[in-house]
Amino acid sequence: MSWCRWAGIRARPRDGSCKGHGTWTDSREVPLCGDGPGWLSAQPSAMHTLVFLSTRQVLQRQPAACQALPLLPRELFPLLFKVAFMDKKTVVLRELVHTWPFPLLSFQQLLQECAHCSRTLLQECAHCSRTLLQERLSTESVQAVILGLTARLHTSGKEAGTQPLCRKHALRVLDMTGLLDDGVEQDPGTMSMWDCTAAVARTCIAQQQGGTAEPGLSPVPVEVRVDLRVNRASYTFLREALQSSVDSPLRLCCRDLRAEDLPMRNTVALLQLLDAGCLRRIDLRFNNLGLRGLSVIIPHVARFQHLASLRLHYVHGDSRQPSVDGEDNFRYFLAQMGRFICLRELSMGSSLLSGRLEQLLSTLQSPLESLELAFCALLPEDLRFLAQSPHAPHLKKLDLSGNDLSGNQLIPFQGLLQAAAATLLHLELTECQLADAQLLATLPTLTRCASLRYLGLYGNPLSMAGLKELLRDSVVQAELRTVVHPFPVDCYEGLPWPPPVSVLLEASINEEKFARVEAELHQLLLASGRAHVLWTTDIYGRLAADYFRL
């Protein structure tokens, strides 16, 4: 019985006639099944129309769909999962996880990849114009996945439904990492990825405390990859989950750890529980560690030899007021940083690094590709060193927000741009006190960054004339997609000069003047054939570019 016929949908016969109640408007001949995942990419528009609609039709009758799963080609399971998840077909979803025939079940691949070309997307696929699933995760669907996983552990090696769970194709990894989470408050029917993590953590605890397999069965261990966001409120609970998973068939594996406002001893305790082979990012924020606290934590961080991203904030070590203890702690920190062999991203936001950048970056074994030094009080010698360092020619992302680039730092900054021009994709210069004169002097170097996709200039005292000059000159940057610009100084009333950043961020603007500015910028974009480039003042509406997505 063919897949389409069982779904109640018939393809148009080769003679072009339309017979039956369900017809398909594309008369090209396409296969209805195949030997591997690649078959879905053949004849993309036709395959998506037929298979996707057929799948949605089949899943309307959940009991029948569950009974039919053993009869269906395993290559259909990824699409079945995606449709069941989107449409909240929880009965089918649970059974799909229970009988999953592949070693890997990845949320990101199944829910965020284009069904046509298998590209992971943030907006629209350039190859087939299909858009990414942007809906929030349904609580019902996530719970169904977890129930299916739990059922699988309890029946591992035993017949499930009408088909045995083959150990050769047993599910070994459930990857719940990587889905977008903008931190906006959820509605009651949806889950953030952090909520998903908490749900899995509860399952780990329950599995260890009371959930056991049936006598005589040996559950096949399943590794559950998660991104952990930990604060004071969730620390105890997540620590228990990590401890419980050590000897459980449901094993938590943290990929990205983000610890917020967490005491130093709790941060160390969590780091000691994490698998060194899984972790790729550590993000410690709002912990106000200082050099003393960092010197305690850094040896525990340095044991993660495969760490690719390290994000630290509020590390105070101002060389202008050195102390013996501070210098010892800083040297110890540098020695530990030298142990990383895979580090590609370093963020030291709001850390006082004046005159110390050479000391910090010279200890690293490999060139960085992402460097965030926002509000670090950098000096000209810091920028000159960075421009001449091995890191500059490899940088994809550079954030210098909050550093004054308007005076004697301007020429060293231009040298840095020149050194990074071949690779730079994302440049953030928020609140750098760049006025028209500095911007115009930098434009020849800036426009050499031919691969630049994102430029952030919010909070700089730029006029409409300066923005128009930037827009005209940036026409040569074919990859540019987003420019976050400030409200032009022309739109303020009675603005002091030079205007303090606080005034630019807090003073009210003339809405009528700004509306005219927006209209003029839009017309210039249309005239230059770049209507697809977003020029916006919305600094909060754009998700920060993640290094791993660049």
Side-chain angles (χ1 to χ4, degrees), residues 339-391:
R339 295 172 56 185
F340 294 111
I341 59 177
C342 297
L343 196 67
R344 294 294 180 270
E345 178 178 54
L346 179 63
S347 175
M348 298 286 292
S350 300
S351 300
L352 294 176
L353 297 176
S354 303
R356 292 193 162 194
L357 199 59
E358 181 174 0
Q359 287 178 276
L360 173 62
L361 298 184
S362 295
T363 63
L364 301 179
Q365 297 191 34
S366 302
L368 294 171
E369 295 180 349
S370 175
L371 181 59
E372 299 181 11
L373 299 171
F375 299 93
C376 287
L378 298 181
L379 301 176
E381 53 262 39
D382 295 314
L383 296 176
R384 280 194 289 268
F385 161 75
L386 184 54
Q388 299 166 7
S389 74
H391 304 283

Side-chain angles (χ1 to χ4, degrees), residues 393-425:
H394 296 270
L395 288 175
K396 297 180 181 179
K397 180 179 180 180
L398 178 63
D399 186 349
L400 296 176
S401 296
N403 294 284
D404 184 354
L405 302 179
S406 65
N408 56 0
Q409 273 116 318
L410 185 63
I411 292 177
F413 165 63
Q414 292 169 352
L416 173 57
L417 270 189
Q418 179 66 40
T423 56
L424 200 59
L425 304 176

Side-chain angles (χ1 to χ4, degrees), residues 108 131 218 263-264 322 341 372 438 454 477 547:
Q108 185 173 17
T131 54
S218 177
M264 183 171 57
I341 59 177
E372 299 181 11
Q438 291 81 32
Y454 174 97
Q477 295 173 295
Y547 161 66

Side-chain angles (χ1 to χ4, degrees), residues 3 32-40 51 55 68-82 96 99-105 110 152 163-172:
W3 165 252
L32 297 184
C33 60
D35 297 325
W39 71 273
L40 283 172
V51 179
T55 302
L69 287 182
L71 306 175
L72 299 178
R74 61 201 294 264
E75 289 80 12
L76 287 172
F77 272 58
L79 185 57
L80 286 163
F81 181 93
K82 183 169 186 174
L96 281 168
T99 59
W100 193 252
F102 304 106
L104 171 67
L105 197 164
L110 294 174
R152 186 179 186 107
Q163 179 174 286
L165 287 174
C166 177
R167 296 182 71 90
K168 180 180 178 181
H169 299 297
L171 177 64
R172 301 300 175 89

Side-chain angles (χ1 to χ4, degrees), residues 238-548:
L238 287 176
R239 182 192 61 184
E240 182 182 358
L242 289 166
Q243 290 172 333
S244 298
S245 74
V246 173
D247 299 317
S248 170
L250 195 62
R251 296 172 184 172
L252 277 182
C253 180
C254 178
R255 187 190 65 163
D256 293 352
L257 173 68
R258 176 172 163 180
E260 298 182 358
D261 190 28
L262 203 63
M264 183 171 57
R265 65 181 183 279
N266 293 354
T267 303
V268 170
L270 275 182
L271 291 172
Q272 291 173 334
L273 289 172
L274 299 179
D275 187 339
C278 294
L279 202 66
R280 70 171 190 178
R281 168 178 283 160
I282 293 177
D283 185 347
L284 306 180
R285 57 180 64 196
F286 310 122
N287 299 309
N288 205 20
L289 292 171
L291 281 174
R292 181 179 176 278
L294 190 58
S295 67
V296 174
I297 286 177
I298 194 64
H300 299 280
V301 173
R303 79 179 181 89
F304 298 99
Q305 292 293 295
H306 300 292
L307 195 72
S309 171
L310 178 60
R311 303 176 64 84
L312 305 169
H313 305 270
Y314 302 101
V315 179
H316 303 299
D318 191 350
S319 60
R320 293 169 293 188
Q321 295 179 341
S323 67
V324 174
D325 288 343
E327 288 301 303
D328 289 344
N329 288 330
F330 190 66
R331 282 194 293 268
Y332 182 70
F333 168 65
L334 295 178
Q336 295 298 316
M337 289 293 290
R339 295 172 56 185
F340 294 111
I341 59 177
C342 297
L343 196 67
R344 294 294 180 270
E345 178 178 54
L346 179 63
S347 175
M348 298 286 292
S350 300
S351 300
L352 294 176
L353 297 176
S354 303
R356 292 193 162 194
L357 199 59
E358 181 174 0
Q359 287 178 276
L360 173 62
L361 298 184
S362 295
T363 63
L364 301 179
Q365 297 191 34
S366 302
L368 294 171
E369 295 180 349
S370 175
L371 181 59
E372 299 181 11
L373 299 171
F375 299 93
C376 287
L378 298 181
L379 301 176
E381 53 262 39
D382 295 314
L383 296 176
R384 280 194 289 268
F385 161 75
L386 184 54
Q388 299 166 7
S389 74
H391 304 283
H394 296 270
L395 288 175
K396 297 180 181 179
K397 180 179 180 180
L398 178 63
D399 186 349
L400 296 176
S401 296
N403 294 284
D404 184 354
L405 302 179
S406 65
N408 56 0
Q409 273 116 318
L410 185 63
I411 292 177
F413 165 63
Q414 292 169 352
L416 173 57
L417 270 189
Q418 179 66 40
T423 56
L424 200 59
L425 304 176
H426 185 103
L427 179 61
E428 188 68 70
L429 302 173
T430 296
E431 298 179 34
C432 289
Q433 300 186 37
L434 294 172
D436 287 0
Q438 291 81 32
L439 178 64
L440 294 178
T442 306
L443 276 179
T445 307
L446 180 61
T447 53
R448 290 192 188 104
C449 301
S451 300
L452 195 67
R453 302 173 189 168
Y454 174 97
L455 176 61
L457 289 170
Y458 192 83
N460 289 289
L462 297 174
S463 71
M464 180 55 183
L467 291 178
K468 287 165 67 174
E469 194 68 28
L470 171 63
L471 191 151
R472 292 190 189 101
D473 283 16
S474 65
V475 70
V476 298
Q477 295 173 295
E479 299 299 318
L480 191 62
R481 292 294 179 271
T482 303
V483 177
V484 179
H485 64 87
F487 294 99
V489 292
D490 318 58
C491 297
Y492 292 87
E493 302 290 351
L495 194 65
W497 198 265
V501 170
S502 59
V503 173
L504 291 176
L505 298 181
E506 297 175 6
S508 59
I509 65 166
N510 186 309
E511 297 289 349
E512 185 177 341
K513 288 183 178 180
F514 182 62
R516 289 198 296 268
V517 165
E518 285 192 306
E520 189 170 354
L521 289 175
H522 181 64
Q523 287 302 316
L524 287 172
L525 286 171
L526 289 176
S528 63
R530 292 183 299 154
H532 60 283
V533 181
L534 175 65
W535 279 61
T536 180
T537 57
D538 186 2
I539 195 171
Y540 299 108
R542 307 296 303 169
L543 289 173
D546 185 77
Y547 161 66
F548 293 106

